[in-house]
Amino acid sequence: MNYEESKAVITYTGEGWNANAKSLLEAVGADSFEWRRPLGRGPKHVRVEAALFAAAEAPSNRPMIHTFWSACTDVDTWRSSEKDRVERWIRSIAAGVEWLVVLAAPKVADKARTELKQSERCISSRDPALLRRVRQMLLTAISNEEQRLGQEVRRERERRNEQGWSFGEYLALQEQLAALLGTLKGAEDEALVQYDELDALFTQFVRNASLIGKVNFVLRNEKQQHLNFLSEPPPWLNSFSAPLKEWRGLGIDSNARFAIVNSDASLLQLRVYLFTRQLNLLLKMNQPQQIAERCLPLLQICSNELRILEVDFPEGAASCWAVQVSLQVLHVCRKYPDQVHSLPAATLCDYACQKLFQLGELLGLMPGGQGPSSAQIDAALWLGAGLGPEPPFGGEQLKEALGSPAAFQKLYLELAELALGTFKHLGRSRSARQLGHQLANFHQLRGDPHLAAAYLSDALTAVEGWPTLEIHILSQLAECLTGEKLAMARARLAASLTLELEVRKQHWHQLLQILKTLDDDGCVMPLEEVFDLVSVTPISGHRQQAYVNINSRLPEAVLVNPSLSVQTSLPQVSRKESNPRGRRLRGNFSACLSSEPIKIQPGLNEFILNAQGDLHTGHLSQLSLIMNDKMDFVSAEARLGIIEVKKGETTISVESGQLLARMPQKFQLRFTAGTDGIEEGTEVTIKAPRGLSLGDGGRQIVIELPKTEQGQDTVVTLEAIATPPSAKSTDIEYGLTLTSSLWDQAYPVSVHFTVPVAASVKLHTAMKTKFLQVVVSSTCRQRLMLSDPTLELSLGTCTPLPISSKPLTLDPDRPLSYIWQLEIEGPIRAKFNVNLTKDEVNGAYNCEFELAECATMIFVNSKVAAASGAEVCRANAMCHLHLTVEASEAIGYSLMYELLADQSMWAVCGRTAGVLNLDQPSHNLVLEVMPLTSGFLPHPQVRLSKYIPANAGSTHPKLEPFGPGQVYNKSKSLQVHVLPAIQSS
Amino acid sequence: MSGCYYFYIVCHTDSPIFEMEFMPSAKEPKKEDHRHLIEFIANAALDLVDEHMWRTSNMYLKAVDKFNQWFVSAFVTASNIRFLVVHDNKNEDGIKNFFMEMYETYIKFSMNPFYKQNTPIKSIAFEKKAQFYGRKFLTS
């Protein structure tokens, strides 16, 4: 459809036509004119162009006005003949078509207006309003035609789902409308709308076609019978599924239009046709910025539609077409300098690059290969042929590029650099880096790893933190690097948790290979890339240490030399590195903690670093792990903790369990070396206090200490026997005093001993015979074996009862007793000895007792009997207490007796005390007592004391008690049966 | 694969400081190459996010990019931290609500004086919140 063919037509008849008139009519299109339109659409300023035709030659089917030109200049001629001619002409014109009679002379024109009664349609050729009148009429004609076509288009569009409807025919119809609008300068946008509508309608049809299958499937599955299944795709759409035979770029091709109208065109033909029309209109409208913007969606939609419609085409044809169209559009854009560097153009360029890259790989045009094979050359020729003859919009580079790898590479680089430059210029840094990534592949193939590495490094910064992207680019980057940088890249890859273990191991082994080739300087790498520093715990003091916890992400164990630098002075203010991935510098490691090489396993590791040589105070700053003497993993400088120097002397602590006195016991002295350590053979003199013997029995020993590093321990075991002076205290503390060159003053240490047993004695008397009971109880809460008890008396003899030589076990809660029968006279001293055994360690226990005069001198016997006349004792009845006191031998003093009765049981009537003069061996006394209650009552006690009467020395008599055992009470613990009192009636 | 959401918080240096995926409960965990694709889409959308944010005064930029079946919705905080969600379902309101809640959570988190800007967010509480809002607004 040609705009020239759609222009409105002005026909002319009559002989008044002349060259002037022609130029006049041509001026119709010179100026714009307001076009008022029906249907509420806003007015537009348009320029109308018209084609001139002689009435006989005028084409039909175009908006048209007819003009009649009369050369008649005088009124008489008008009347006689011209009027009839004009009237005949007017009658010959079909109804509804605009016409105009142009008369040469104004006065004839006036006449004609009145006589023909058509004041609007008769005008003088000299009238300045003629031009306006012609334009108005043309516009009216065009408006009428537009309305007619518009209605028709709408009607056809409504029928689009009916049988027999064809997109080609509809397109032809709407194109007429578009062409008509296209003839109006200023209404191109309306024309563009027509093509956009066609474009959208077609897109919708294809979309529906892709949905029909899916939706029907779902409806069938859900048994939604009440919903209408979508109809099958229209048959005319099938023609677009035909295999592609050619893939020409943009350009108007009359054959293509013919094919489209007859539903015989390929998908690409239709798309190219529509886009070319749109492109032309955009250029007419002077809106080049939309061209590139509309192009990319077109390419994407087409590649989708080829898929939806299942179009068959040779491999690479679609890419070839896309590149061709892109090149053509870019070529058009180049005419507008501000357009070629616009974002849409750059995106288009980028897209073309990708497609070109695919083509290059397909056809063997990429650099570095063997060049295209014969099959690939054939394919390239075939693809080139499909592009058709000379394209109208340039783009011949593609054909050339398909033919030779050199031209191809030139074209690729040209496009890529244009896109890259534009992206950078527009601030689309990520897009630029992505493209750079692709470009790096290309340069890598070209054998230019340096350039590729530069692009990849740039791309790497864009994806920092995106694990899979980062690793992907890093893996590629590793292929382009050498030496130190390669080693670092391999280390990062080996430590990447996103990769498979096997792949990481490969990288790891490659790293080990590379390290062998590195020179002695090695390389410094940030620690965090491979290890996570979990924690650093400094331990200050004379044993400077740091516990380091790190997590290794390496796939295998690695042997490293660790060191941790100590920053002893404030760091100098320096500019911080802005990029954490930048070169890591090894700080000052002159003061550091370190250790022997250690093996770091994958996962968490803890190791201890020690101060070697001098100690330092400062901040722990950098951790360095040197692997294979080449690769130094250094952490960022930070304050990991403070470490200080604390001078310290050797300290001693006592380590022992419960130590028992009187038995040989062992205990340990732990020497913890101070800052200066302990020299080999340092002598230490240990002095024990009285009561404690060390070693072989002396109170002083000298020991020699082995060489001990600072902070290390040496343990010395000592044996000692404690012999506490008094048996009373059970826990005794002995202070040891240690003197040595290690300390300026004596070093005190205290040791605690526990006396294991305690003994007590009890004297028992039976008439004149005396027994001694020794009760031994444990005080140490431990089980002991007791054997060989002996009792030594200072005077007299003793016999153990019963005689047993078996050792006895002394339990903590069960005291043991030994009994001896004594034959003694007067006060004596007794010494008790017993052997102790505990865990096969033997000891001895002894203690001494003083025994006062204890021979029995007096026997007392008392008996309660009923008063005379009564046979039994009754409560509240008087009873007699018969008291007999006998002396074993004559004693030279009087005795005082006292009756001590429990007042709740006994009431003593009469005397309670008295003095006996023992001038005869036996005294009998009767005292009166009354039981107060019934039952078995204990006897009232009788106490005897020595009575010393008052003499010159003292005004009062004195009482002296007897010693234990001197008075033997025969009736002790006797009881009296007392019956209840007789109830008085 | 539909109804999957991949949430990223991207800091000023374009690194993701937090990522989380939300799957409908019945779905199996994704494959590794899938993750690569999602990261690629999210990373590539950053240019568009930067462009879109000057065109509107809203923080929620809606869908800024599309790649095959994947959409990228974005939200830009006042401090220019970018939230991205890569998704294959249209769920404009849900994503908006999710973004708003996460914005609040992020503000609270970033006010922690021990958190350094532009460093990865490692907080169980934050993760739990994200998971909760993801379930509430995205996958439910």
Side-chain angles (χ1 to χ4, degrees):
Chain A
M1 204 73 192
N2 197 327
Y3 293 115
E4 210 50 49
E5 290 168 9
S6 308
K7 272 187 185 171
V9 169
I10 303 175
T11 67
Y12 55 88
T13 320
E15 61 284 347
W17 173 257
N18 57 32
N20 275 347
K22 192 176 176 184
S23 68
L24 183 83
L25 287 177
E26 276 170 351
V28 162
D31 225 343
S32 66
F33 192 77
E34 194 182 41
W35 179 26
R36 293 172 195 278
R37 293 189 299 165
L39 300 174
R41 288 176 291 179
K44 252 183 144 62
H45 281 272
V46 294
R47 285 189 291 138
V48 189
E49 284 181 350
L52 284 173
F53 284 95
E57 300 156 13
S60 55
N61 284 339
R62 282 164 71 169
M64 196 179 286
I65 61 170
H66 301 294
T67 52
F68 186 92
W69 296 75
S70 167
C72 169
T73 51
D74 91 88
V75 179
D76 293 342
T77 322
W78 167 255
R79 269 199 201 129
S80 59
S81 59
E82 199 69 2
K83 186 185 169 194
D84 287 347
R85 270 183 71 201
V86 171
E87 278 175 335
R88 261 202 314 280
W89 179 78
I90 292 171
R91 277 196 294 275
S92 73
I93 291 165
V97 178
E98 301 289 326
W99 53 269
L100 190 67
V101 177
V102 186
L103 297 142
K107 56 183 178 191
V108 181
D110 290 343
K111 199 79 186 161
R113 262 198 289 272
T114 48
E115 290 184 1
L116 295 173
K117 298 191 177 85
Q118 290 284 356
S119 59
E120 290 294 308
R121 298 184 188 266
C122 298
I123 192 162
S124 156
S125 62
R126 291 178 206 159
D127 194 330
L130 172 62
L131 204 55
R132 193 174 55 88
R133 192 71 52 82
V134 172
R135 279 179 188 151
Q136 208 159 30
M137 284 187 165
L138 275 174
L139 268 181
T140 313
I142 289 171
S143 273
N144 290 342
E145 181 69 3
E146 189 224 345
Q147 276 186 44
R148 187 183 66 81
L149 281 172
Q151 277 171 6
E152 216 168 312
V153 165
R154 279 191 290 280
R155 198 171 54 244
E156 276 298 303
R157 194 163 48 217
E158 291 308 312
R159 288 183 51 236
R160 66 185 180 277
N161 287 328
E162 288 177 14
Q163 286 281 326
W165 188 86
S166 152
F167 184 76
E169 286 165 20
Y170 175 73
L171 177 132
L173 181 65
Q174 193 159 11
E175 264 206 308
Q176 278 183 30
L177 180 57
L180 179 69
L181 289 163
T183 60
L184 297 177
K185 285 266 161 57
E188 288 92 346
D189 54 338
E190 303 267 340
L192 187 63
V193 166
Q194 304 309 316
Y195 283 104
D196 287 348
E197 278 179 11
L198 280 169
D199 193 331
L201 186 65
F202 184 76
T203 309
Q204 195 57 48
F205 267 117
V206 179
R207 266 185 75 96
N208 287 350
S210 78
L211 289 176
I212 282 168
K214 288 185 198 167
V215 172
N216 282 351
F217 179 75
V218 171
L219 289 179
R220 230 164 260 141
N221 272 1
E222 295 182 358
K223 303 221 164 57
Q224 305 256 0
Q225 300 293 352
H226 59 282
L227 290 175
N228 290 329
F229 287 6
L230 292 181
S231 51
E232 293 302 307
W236 58 265
L237 197 56
N238 295 339
S239 74
F240 293 107
S241 305
L244 289 187
K245 292 197 187 73
E246 51 177 22
W247 31 93
R248 295 185 182 202
L250 303 181
I252 297 293
D253 180 351
S254 53
N255 291 338
R257 181 165 191 276
F258 184 74
I260 292 167
V261 173
N262 290 311
S263 298
D264 195 21
S266 71
L267 176 71
L268 294 187
Q269 268 178 327
L270 172 69
R271 281 296 181 188
V272 161
Y273 178 78
L274 288 176
F275 189 69
T276 313
R277 286 289 185 199
Q278 289 167 330
L279 187 138
N280 283 333
L281 283 167
L282 287 169
L283 287 176
K284 262 190 170 177
M285 289 158 66
N286 199 22
Q287 289 197 332
Q289 71 274 14
Q290 283 201 38
I291 296 174
E293 206 175 312
R294 281 164 171 257
C295 184
L296 189 59
L298 167 81
L299 299 179
Q300 288 167 335
I301 285 173
C302 276
S303 92
N304 246 337
E305 286 179 344
L306 284 173
R307 193 168 44 77
I308 292 171
L309 296 176
E310 297 169 355
V311 179
D312 249 357
F313 53 88
E315 195 180 1
S319 305
C320 207
W321 177 78
V323 175
Q324 175 71 0
V325 171
S326 309
L327 285 174
Q328 288 178 315
V329 168
L330 289 169
H331 183 78
V332 171
C333 286
R334 281 208 177 85
K335 292 176 187 155
Y336 304 88
D338 55 331
Q339 286 312 309
V340 75
H341 293 299
S342 67
L343 182 60
T347 326
L348 187 62
C349 241
D350 185 18
Y351 185 80
C353 270
Q354 288 174 30
K355 292 291 165 191
L356 204 55
F357 197 90
Q358 291 171 6
L359 268 183
E361 283 183 330
L362 179 71
L363 301 176
L365 297 168
M366 296 303 269
Q370 304 288 322
S373 65
S374 60
Q376 282 171 326
I377 291 173
D378 280 353
L381 282 173
W382 183 248
L383 287 178
L387 289 171
E390 272 304 281
F393 287 105
E396 55 283 342
Q397 305 108 299
L398 179 60
K399 265 193 179 176
E400 214 174 298
L402 291 177
S404 95
F408 170 83
Q409 289 162 27
K410 182 167 164 281
L411 177 62
Y412 177 78
L413 284 177
E414 213 172 88
L415 282 177
E417 266 149 31
L418 175 64
L420 196 68
T422 313
F423 278 144
K424 279 187 179 164
H425 172 68
L426 295 173
R428 283 217 162 194
S429 55
R430 294 97 176 179
S431 304
R433 281 167 179 157
Q434 252 172 43
L435 182 60
H437 180 198
Q438 204 192 41
L439 208 50
N441 291 345
F442 185 82
H443 284 300
Q444 206 176 340
L445 289 173
R446 259 183 63 191
D448 191 350
H450 288 297
L451 200 51
Y455 279 120
L456 285 172
S457 307
D458 196 31
L460 194 59
T461 57
V463 296
E464 198 176 298
W466 299 82
T468 64
L469 303 182
E470 210 173 356
I471 287 307
H472 180 69
I473 295 181
L474 194 62
S475 315
Q476 266 185 312
L477 183 58
E479 303 301 324
C480 306
L481 295 174
T482 52
E484 204 177 298
K485 285 185 176 169
L486 176 56
M488 284 160 76
R490 290 277 182 228
R492 277 180 71 185
L493 285 167
S496 157
L497 297 180
T498 40
L499 285 176
E500 301 272 327
L501 184 65
E502 279 311 307
V503 181
R504 286 166 57 202
K505 279 187 177 171
Q506 280 172 17
H507 286 297
W508 172 246
H509 290 130
Q510 277 165 338
L511 170 64
L512 295 179
Q513 292 299 318
I514 299 154
L515 287 184
K516 286 180 193 158
T517 63
L518 281 188
D519 54 16
D520 288 341
D521 291 346
C523 63
V524 177
M525 180 163 179
L527 180 94
E528 312 77 80
E529 306 259 9
V530 175
F531 303 100
D532 305 314
L533 188 56
V534 179
S535 67
V536 173
T537 317
I539 294 172
S540 293
H542 52 269
R543 189 204 302 234
Q544 267 193 344
Q545 282 183 331
Y547 285 84
V548 180
N549 231 321
I550 63 168
N551 180 30
S552 165
R553 298 196 299 268
L554 290 174
E556 288 181 15
V558 55
L559 196 68
V560 294
N561 272 314
S563 53
L564 183 60
S565 74
V566 181
Q567 200 174 53
T568 49
S569 58
L570 282 174
Q572 290 180 343
V573 178
S574 61
R575 205 162 59 82
K576 284 277 171 199
E577 283 175 84
S578 55
N579 183 3
R581 291 230 190 283
R583 260 189 105 73
R584 178 61 52 80
L585 290 177
R586 188 180 162 89
N588 180 6
F589 273 73
S590 58
C592 69
L593 307 181
S594 60
S595 84
E596 295 293 298
I598 48 166
K599 200 159 211 171
I600 305 257
Q601 301 288 346
L604 277 180
N605 289 270
E606 192 183 53
F607 52 88
I608 303 170
L609 298 178
N610 291 304
Q612 310 286 338
D614 295 337
L615 300 181
H616 304 281
T617 295
H619 288 280
L620 295 177
S621 173
Q622 269 186 312
L623 177 67
S624 149
L625 302 174
I626 300 176
M627 177 182 126
N628 292 13
D629 292 332
K630 294 280 179 68
M631 193 147 207
D632 189 358
F633 297 101
V634 179
S635 68
E637 273 190 61
R639 298 197 161 184
L640 301 171
I642 296 174
I643 198 146
E644 288 174 305
V645 177
K646 282 183 191 158
K647 278 274 180 193
E649 289 186 327
T650 300
T651 54
I652 302 169
S653 54
V654 177
E655 292 176 359
S656 68
Q658 189 181 35
L659 295 176
L660 300 180
R662 298 177 188 281
M663 294 172 82
Q665 297 284 291
K666 284 184 178 164
F667 61 91
Q668 278 93 35
L669 292 182
R670 179 177 288 274
F671 292 78
T672 304
T675 332
D676 302 325
I678 299 173
E679 293 293 314
E680 175 75 47
T682 304
E683 288 190 352
V684 179
T685 310
I686 306 173
K687 278 185 191 156
R690 191 182 295 273
L692 187 71
S693 50
L694 294 170
D696 300 334
R699 278 180 47 209
Q700 176 170 334
I701 57 166
V702 177
I703 55 170
E704 274 190 14
L705 296 178
K707 178 164 176 62
T708 312
E709 293 294 333
Q710 60 140 334
Q712 304 293 313
D713 291 342
T714 289
V715 179
V716 173
T717 305
L718 290 181
E719 194 172 297
I721 300 178
T723 43
S726 100
K728 282 181 185 166
S729 57
T730 56
D731 196 25
I732 312 120
E733 181 179 324
Y734 291 97
L736 298 177
T737 319
L738 287 83
T739 46
S740 159
S741 58
L742 292 171
W743 308 286
D744 299 337
Q745 296 174 332
Y747 195 102
V749 170
S750 56
V751 191
H752 288 261
F753 281 87
T754 306
V755 179
V757 294
S760 58
V761 289
K762 263 187 184 169
L763 189 70
H764 301 279
T765 306
M767 297 302 281
K768 279 193 165 183
T769 324
K770 299 288 170 183
F771 300 94
L772 188 73
Q773 181 188 10
V774 180
V775 184
V776 183
S777 59
S778 168
T779 52
C780 65
R781 314 291 306 162
Q782 294 190 45
R783 177 179 281 203
L784 299 165
M785 297 294 287
L786 268 54
S787 58
D788 303 329
T790 54
L791 190 71
E792 291 166 27
L793 301 179
S794 55
L795 199 67
T797 58
C798 60
T799 320
L801 295 175
I803 301 162
S804 169
S805 58
K806 268 193 187 168
L808 296 174
T809 306
L810 175 65
D811 282 330
D813 298 321
R814 241 177 337 154
L816 281 176
S817 292
Y818 296 101
I819 294 183
W820 282 269
Q821 186 178 348
L822 302 180
E823 293 190 15
I824 51 168
E825 304 246 340
I828 52 155
R829 293 167 67 87
K831 194 177 173 191
F832 172 71
N833 271 313
V834 68
N835 286 341
L836 305 174
T837 311
K838 162 97 178 81
D839 300 336
E840 300 185 351
V841 178
N842 297 315
Y845 174 79
N846 55 61
C847 62
E848 288 188 6
F849 320 105
E850 299 262 350
L851 292 177
E853 181 71 55
C854 64
T856 313
M857 295 164 71
I858 296 166
F859 302 93
V860 180
N861 196 7
S862 59
K863 193 184 173 205
V864 176
S868 55
E871 288 184 6
V872 290
C873 297
R874 283 189 183 275
N876 296 336
M878 194 61 75
C879 295
H880 290 181
L881 178 79
H882 300 275
L883 181 68
T884 312
V885 178
E886 290 172 74
S888 61
E889 56 195 81
I891 48 174
Y893 44 78
S894 306
L895 290 176
M896 167 109 180
Y897 70 86
E898 290 161 281
L899 199 60
L900 305 172
D902 187 341
Q903 288 183 356
S904 62
M905 296 181 201
W906 299 100
V908 183
C909 313
R911 282 191 303 168
T912 60
V915 175
L916 298 173
N917 204 346
L918 284 181
D919 40 8
Q920 48 194 341
S922 169
H923 275 282
N924 282 318
L925 290 172
V926 177
L927 301 172
E928 286 184 337
V929 291
M930 183 193 285
L932 298 176
T933 172
S934 62
F936 290 94
L937 303 185
H939 250 253
Q941 288 290 310
V942 178
R943 184 165 76 194
L944 292 176
S945 319
K946 295 175 188 170
Y947 182 80
I948 299 158
N951 53 18
S954 61
T955 48
H956 296 289
K958 270 200 317 194
L959 286 180
E960 265 184 26
F962 284 102
Q966 284 183 316
V967 175
Y968 183 73
N969 193 345
K970 288 179 180 171
S971 53
K972 191 174 180 179
S973 74
L974 271 186
Q975 287 178 328
V976 185
H977 190 199
V978 180
L979 297 178
I982 296 165
Q983 299 291 322
S984 58
S985 57
Chain B
M1 284 305 270
S2 90
C4 302
Y5 296 82
Y6 300 86
F7 173 52
Y8 290 94
I9 298 180
V10 180
C11 70
H12 299 134
T13 62
D14 282 2
S15 299
I17 53 175
F18 184 78
E19 44 192 293
M20 182 166 270
E21 59 197 68
F22 305 101
M23 299 275 167
S25 47
K27 295 282 181 209
E28 285 159 29
K30 63 187 163 62
K31 287 188 214 127
E32 199 55 29
D33 54 337
H34 201 78
R35 187 176 161 205
H36 184 71
L37 175 70
I38 299 295
E39 276 187 20
F40 187 80
I41 294 171
N43 181 260
L46 289 175
D47 262 337
L48 294 166
V49 174
D50 285 1
E51 230 168 68
H52 273 74
M53 70 187 186
W54 300 110
R55 295 187 191 157
T56 168
S57 56
N58 295 333
M59 288 179 155
Y60 180 40
L61 305 181
K62 302 187 181 164
V64 294
D65 197 7
K66 186 177 186 307
F67 183 86
N68 290 345
Q69 81 271 34
W70 297 102
F71 299 92
V72 183
S73 290
F75 182 96
V76 180
T77 71
S79 62
N80 239 349
I81 296 289
R82 287 152 295 178
F83 293 0
L84 300 181
V85 164
V86 182
H87 54 107
D88 52 2
N89 269 12
K90 289 224 171 181
N91 178 11
E92 211 167 84
D93 286 343
I95 293 174
K96 183 182 181 178
N97 289 334
F98 174 73
F99 276 149
M100 289 312 293
E101 296 293 350
M102 282 318 294
Y103 181 37
E104 182 140 353
T105 315
Y106 173 75
I107 290 173
K108 284 179 186 160
F109 184 80
S110 65
M111 284 197 293
N112 180 347
F114 295 108
Y115 173 66
K116 206 173 132 202
Q117 279 266 318
N118 291 340
T119 56
I121 297 174
K122 284 175 183 158
S123 155
I124 290 166
F126 191 87
E127 268 172 38
K128 276 193 177 160
K129 281 264 186 194
Q131 229 148 23
F132 172 75
Y133 291 126
R135 266 203 305 277
K136 187 168 171 192
F137 296 116
L138 303 181
T139 52
S140 67

